[in-house]
Amino acid sequence: MKILKNQQGIALITAVMFTLICLIIIMMMMYYVLSGTKMSGAQKRYRNALEASYGGTELVTRTVIPRLFGNYSTGKKTLRDDFGTSLSLMFPSGNGLETKLTTATSSWPTTVSKTVNAKEAPDLTFVLQGATTGNNFKVYTKIVDTVPGVGLIDTSGIDYLDAGAGVAGTSATTQTPRTPNLYSFEVQGEAEVNPKEKAALSVLYAY
């Protein structure tokens, strides 16, 4: 008798194909799981650096700048005494920061950096301690633009210390309410042991 068709081995081929399909599905699932884990880790590291940048912004706007405005030399000394060791706070050499705090950007000398890269000639650097050893963050801050306030002669903002009266007064001169100084500065926080883990902020501060 002549055999027209031979189907021997078809079951083996089917089993091999099914196994390959299962392996492809498993590999795809592992890829997505690993990718999700890496993404979660990257987001966590970025959030940590971002929180360091926010913390640096709080320190600069609530502590550093107010102290420097009263008396720059004295404020600088007290800041070094208070935070020089605990936060490794460092000021740059020269009077660049004082110039930025007291004059408009157009009046800055060419030696004063105004680029938006906070790590390039920063005005202030310090280290924020992490929750565990080796998780510290270094913060760079830099003023890149200054717009002086206008109005009252007295910078305290207390209008009765100045000559003149408001629009409803009887004095021959008037004083408009003072607008605050506006400072644009860049803040960058990065992991001390791995600078690639970083986050940057652009801040507009009125004082």
Side-chain angles (χ1 to χ4, degrees), residues 30-106:
M30 290 181 63
Y31 170 78
Y32 285 118
V33 170
L34 292 175
S35 297
T37 302
K38 290 181 179 179
M39 185 65 68
S40 298
Q43 289 178 347
K44 181 180 179 181
R45 291 190 293 271
Y46 172 74
R47 284 196 299 269
N48 290 339
L50 184 61
E51 289 298 325
S53 297
Y54 280 128
T57 302
E58 290 283 328
L59 178 64
V60 171
T61 56
R62 295 192 177 189
T63 303
V64 175
I65 292 181
R67 288 199 193 184
L68 294 177
F69 260 117
N71 182 293
Y72 184 82
S73 298
T74 303
K76 189 175 180 180
K77 181 180 183 303
T78 59
L79 286 168
R80 280 176 170 167
D81 292 340
D82 292 344
F83 305 110
T85 301
S86 60
L87 299 182
S88 301
L89 185 143
M90 295 181 61
F91 289 91
S93 58
N95 298 321
L97 179 56
E98 184 178 12
T99 299
K100 291 181 177 183
L101 289 173
T102 56
T103 59
T105 308
S106 57

Side-chain angles (χ1 to χ4, degrees), residues 112-138:
V112 174
S113 175
K114 61 181 74 172
T115 61
V116 295
N117 184 357
K119 291 188 67 174
E120 183 181 326
D123 296 322
L124 191 69
T125 61
F126 49 90
V127 176
L128 298 179
Q129 304 297 322
T132 57
T133 304
N135 288 329
N136 298 339
F137 286 86
K138 190 168 186 177

